[in-house]
Amino acid sequence: MMTPQVITPQQMQQILQQQVLSPQQLQVLLQQQQALMLQQQQLQEFYKKQQEQLQLQLLQQHAGKQPKEQQQVSTQQLAFQQQLLQMQQLQQQHLLSLQRQGLLTIQPGQPALPLQPLAQGMIPTELQQLWKEVTSAHTTEETTGNNHSSLDLTTTCVSSSAPSKTSLIMNPHASTNGQLSVHTPKRESLSHEEHPHSHPLYGHGVCKWPGCEAVCEDFQSFLKHLNSEHALDDRSTAQCRVQMQVVQQLELQLAKDKERLQAMMTHLHVKSTEPKTAPQPLNLVSSVTLSKSASEASPQSLPHTPTTPTAPITPVTQGPSVITTTSMHTVGPIRRRYSDKYNVPISSADIAQNQEFYKNAEVRPPFTYASLIRQAILESPEKQLTLNEIYNWFTRMFAYFRRNAATWKNAVRHNLSLHKCFVRVENVKGAVWTVDEVEFQKRRPQKISGNPSLIKNMQTSHAYCTPLNAALQASMAENSIPLYTTASMGNPTLGNLASAIREELNGAMEHANSNESDSSPGRSPMPAVHPVHVKEEPLDPEEAEGPLSLVTTANHSPDFDHDRDYEDEPVNEDME
DNA sequence: ACCAGGGTAAACATAA
DNA sequence: CTTATGTTTACCCTGG
């Protein structure tokens, strides 16, 4: 990968000549490079090495040695040069911003030379204060908005709500234009020098001045060293500025990561967090995606919940890239199987939370349409719903179903028609759908039957549910046993929870040892109406009592009783 | 490889 | 005619 080739001193000089730098400044520049390199991911090992060698050569040059390397300019070298220039630009940018803030005065005619002006423009006291501020500036956390000069002291002082370790150094009046005002020594006394033990430039017996690392026995010697080696001079001030840039970079990075986190949380937890900054599309490198569900989920423009402006706007149809997080594996395509390997302990506390979760987060509920439809119907007072009411229930209970109406509604209808367990009943007011519980239990007997251990396993592991993977769960305090059903129950105990789960899992029980079948408290057999279409195989009298317990009550949370209609059609709230 | 269950899409019918 | 509601078929995917 890396070639031993290096930039020859001449080349180096070439590069740097643009800036007419003194060797001293050169050194500083190199340090700047170093600092910035740490920030920028693109600059990795390769550049580092290059830089080291550069430095070496530089030293050699100063020592009067003649370079022996050939003068070949490799592509890498070019790249490096570019990088160098880039960094210089960066630096100048920052200087400009500083200048704008009045922190620096740079003479107009003078090319924005990074090094000299600072000393010229600032008086020593200011510099020291500046330095102190910079070195303790890590407390400035809220630097989101502006990319540039997020570090400038003015903003720091004025806008930062975060308590700064050092008191404000600049007085408010001195901020926007003009020079820093000189402050009283008193203020200064608040600085770290008064607290030797916490001096940020001293630690582990070493001077932590950037690029120094001189060993100092004790604090006294450190102070001495500090005063002698890092006195106020061009070099120090330049280094100071480098450090400022470092901090700035870090803050930028922090801001970005914060943004990312915000977007993630917003995406996953719609309402709990506030999407303040309008983020760029997350670019989480991810392995898996919501793929199918995601892509199909948003056909044209992207109907995200209004509350989630953060969501990536890119046409989801394109692809996976965006909505993904590394942790979303288990959410997976909609067609996933639920019988997976989740292993979540059941906690009744989860349930309500889960309901809330699905109400607010656009996470696909890990249930089949059939289960959901049934649930909707059973939750209703009459155990019957019109198609539209079913729709409403879906949108009410699951944020996920507030978009792509065409798709999932079709699926609902499809399921209603397809499954024998759903019975259409002609009512006075039209048709309603009911659930033939027996039929429902009959389906998906699969192979669980006869294997109690398996059943039990499912009970506990409750594979069926958890849509979020462990990581996600960990990160958000919601463990999910999405038993939204229980929310409607008066008092979800683990007992009936288990039965609920069992049922949700599938009615396999009946085939196995149906002894478990919990008596359903109050499920009325069937509305006193006659089914119109009985999809062959009407009732199986054999077992009229299944584990039907789940839904006992009719009314869910009061706040939802009104049939709120979520407009299904994607309102282009966010499009690009 | 096969099969079953589930999701999605779409064609079609019918009633409002 | 349009829309909502149903029905049906086809295809795909996943997991057993």
Side-chain angles (χ1 to χ4, degrees):
Chain A
M1 39 191 255
M2 5 215 108
T3 71
Q5 288 177 344
V6 265
I7 301 179
T8 66
Q10 282 99 335
Q11 288 170 335
M12 190 61 207
Q13 208 122 47
Q14 264 186 353
I15 299 168
L16 297 174
Q17 256 169 6
Q18 314 160 5
Q19 300 271 333
V20 199
L21 298 175
S22 71
Q24 202 179 26
Q25 291 166 338
L26 249 175
Q27 195 94 20
V28 173
L29 236 182
L30 286 171
Q31 283 175 354
Q32 286 178 336
Q33 282 167 226
Q34 197 164 15
L36 284 175
M37 276 175 173
L38 291 178
Q39 311 301 319
Q40 302 178 341
Q41 292 173 347
Q42 317 98 290
L43 301 179
Q44 301 193 351
E45 293 297 316
F46 163 67
Y47 289 128
K48 261 188 199 165
K49 283 202 178 167
Q50 288 267 3
Q51 186 210 16
E52 284 169 15
Q53 286 179 338
L54 235 173
Q55 221 155 359
L56 241 171
Q57 295 222 337
L58 211 67
L59 289 178
Q60 286 175 354
Q61 188 192 16
H62 283 280
K65 282 184 190 170
Q66 278 304 317
K68 300 191 175 171
E69 286 81 356
Q70 40 190 4
Q71 288 215 341
Q72 185 183 345
V73 181
S74 69
T75 49
Q76 285 115 339
Q77 285 171 337
L78 281 177
F80 180 69
Q81 289 177 14
Q82 278 181 346
Q83 204 59 54
L84 194 58
L85 286 175
Q86 192 178 331
M87 283 190 269
Q88 287 172 349
Q89 283 172 358
L90 250 175
Q91 185 196 9
Q92 287 182 7
Q93 258 184 352
H94 187 238
L95 283 176
L96 271 179
S97 81
L98 280 180
Q99 192 182 4
R100 244 179 278 126
Q101 298 292 334
L103 293 178
L104 284 178
T105 47
I106 297 178
Q107 280 129 26
Q110 197 173 6
L113 242 178
L115 301 178
Q116 279 123 352
L118 184 60
Q120 291 175 340
M122 296 171 120
I123 60 176
T125 326
E126 292 163 352
L127 273 175
Q128 268 171 2
Q129 287 167 349
L130 170 63
W131 174 249
K132 280 166 202 158
E133 178 68 11
V134 166
T135 51
S136 64
H138 309 274
T139 55
T140 61
E141 289 152 5
E142 300 303 318
T143 63
T144 37
N146 287 337
N147 276 357
H148 66 87
S149 76
S150 55
L151 184 74
D152 54 53
L153 304 181
T154 313
T155 19
T156 300
C157 293
V158 174
S159 69
S160 169
S161 55
S164 166
K165 280 182 210 151
T166 56
S167 62
L168 301 188
I169 288 173
M170 300 201 299
N171 88 38
H173 323 295
S175 54
T176 41
N177 58 357
Q179 311 283 343
L180 290 167
S181 62
V182 185
H183 295 276
T184 65
K186 192 177 178 182
R187 289 224 173 208
E188 229 176 295
S189 68
L190 287 173
S191 69
H192 294 284
E193 266 136 293
E194 299 252 318
H195 313 287
H197 304 301
S198 65
H199 198 296
L201 287 177
Y202 184 61
H204 298 98
V206 169
C207 172
K208 292 170 117 181
W209 186 282
C212 178
E213 300 199 357
V215 179
C216 305
E217 303 287 62
D218 55 358
F219 192 71
Q220 287 309 316
S221 58
F222 160 71
L223 283 181
K224 199 180 278 179
H225 159 83
L226 195 61
N227 286 329
S228 59
E229 297 300 315
H230 308 300
L232 180 62
D233 57 8
D234 286 359
R235 195 177 68 129
S236 298
T237 51
Q239 286 173 329
C240 173
R241 239 173 316 103
V242 172
Q243 187 63 22
M244 286 173 76
Q245 289 217 310
V246 171
V247 173
Q248 187 186 19
Q249 288 293 327
L250 285 173
E251 285 176 338
L252 259 172
Q253 188 73 34
L254 174 65
K256 276 183 185 165
D257 275 320
K258 269 187 177 177
E259 237 173 52
R260 200 177 296 185
L261 170 65
Q262 190 70 49
M264 287 169 71
M265 296 188 49
T266 308
H267 172 68
L268 298 174
H269 204 170
V270 183
K271 285 197 176 147
S272 69
T273 57
E274 223 192 327
K276 15 180 161 187
T277 56
Q280 335 100 338
L282 321 181
N283 224 1
L284 305 182
V285 202
S286 80
S287 39
V288 187
T289 73
L290 293 180
S291 63
K292 190 88 181 208
S293 56
S295 46
E296 285 178 354
S298 41
Q300 347 135 352
S301 72
L302 221 271
H304 275 285
T305 330
T307 42
T308 57
T310 81
I313 323 288
T314 41
V316 190
T317 30
Q318 314 289 60
S321 55
V322 219
I323 307 203
T324 71
T325 73
T326 35
S327 48
M328 292 298 275
H329 307 152
T330 49
V331 173
I334 205 164
R335 295 171 182 176
R336 73 210 171 285
R337 270 295 134 78
Y338 308 124
S339 47
D340 279 343
K341 53 293 166 167
Y342 311 97
N343 201 2
V344 188
I346 297 167
S347 129
S348 52
D350 295 336
I351 288 126
Q353 274 187 349
N354 272 300
Q355 187 172 6
E356 276 311 305
F357 177 80
Y358 287 112
K359 268 182 198 164
N360 298 323
E362 278 189 38
V363 175
R364 173 154 195 135
F367 302 96
T368 63
Y369 280 113
S371 302
L372 291 174
I373 294 169
R374 170 177 166 274
Q375 192 57 47
I377 294 173
L378 293 185
E379 273 188 21
S380 71
E382 307 288 323
K383 307 284 182 290
Q384 59 178 40
L385 288 178
T386 66
L387 178 64
N388 202 43
E389 287 167 338
I390 296 176
Y391 290 162
N392 289 335
W393 185 87
F394 269 65
T395 49
R396 200 171 57 228
M397 305 302 283
F398 299 94
Y400 179 85
F401 292 119
R402 281 161 211 168
R403 49 200 194 106
N404 302 319
T407 298
W408 64 262
K409 282 181 178 177
N410 181 31
V412 167
R413 292 195 305 272
H414 169 71
N415 274 265
L416 283 172
S417 291
L418 191 65
H419 299 305
K420 283 181 284 188
C421 59
F422 299 120
V423 182
R424 203 181 97 104
V425 174
E426 211 58 73
N427 217 352
V428 220
K429 321 177 90 178
V432 292
W433 289 93
T434 61
V435 177
D436 181 342
E437 198 58 43
V438 176
E439 272 303 322
F440 185 86
Q441 301 303 332
K442 266 169 94 177
R443 22 183 246 111
R444 45 177 190 180
Q446 315 226 69
K447 52 176 50 178
I448 302 110
S449 54
N451 188 346
S453 64
L454 221 180
I455 293 167
K456 181 196 166 205
N457 188 25
M458 293 179 75
Q459 254 174 269
T460 49
S461 74
H462 193 200
Y464 201 59
C465 299
T466 316
L468 306 173
N469 72 355
L472 200 49
Q473 290 172 17
S475 64
M476 334 182 61
E478 343 216 14
N479 295 331
S480 29
I481 285 91
L483 258 217
Y484 47 86
T485 61
T486 31
S488 55
M489 308 207 244
N491 177 18
T493 65
L494 276 187
N496 54 15
L497 218 193
S499 80
I501 290 163
R502 227 171 298 133
E503 185 174 10
E504 268 297 334
L505 279 178
N506 53 19
M509 313 307 297
E510 85 173 78
H511 288 273
N513 20 6
S514 54
N515 50 354
E516 290 267 20
S517 62
D518 294 330
S519 50
S520 57
R523 188 187 160 269
S524 52
M526 269 284 154
V529 220
H530 14 296
V532 175
H533 294 136
V534 185
K535 295 155 193 157
E536 60 198 57
E537 257 198 286
L539 297 183
D540 254 345
E542 51 167 81
E543 34 202 333
E545 39 67 49
L548 324 162
S549 53
L550 265 220
V551 184
T552 53
T553 66
N555 286 330
H556 30 281
S557 37
D559 37 11
F560 278 122
D561 271 340
H562 44 69
D563 270 356
R564 160 99 175 78
D565 267 5
Y566 295 85
E567 50 282 25
D568 346 305
E569 257 350 274
V571 206
N572 312 330
E573 58 238 44
D574 50 6
M575 21 96 264
E576 285 221 5

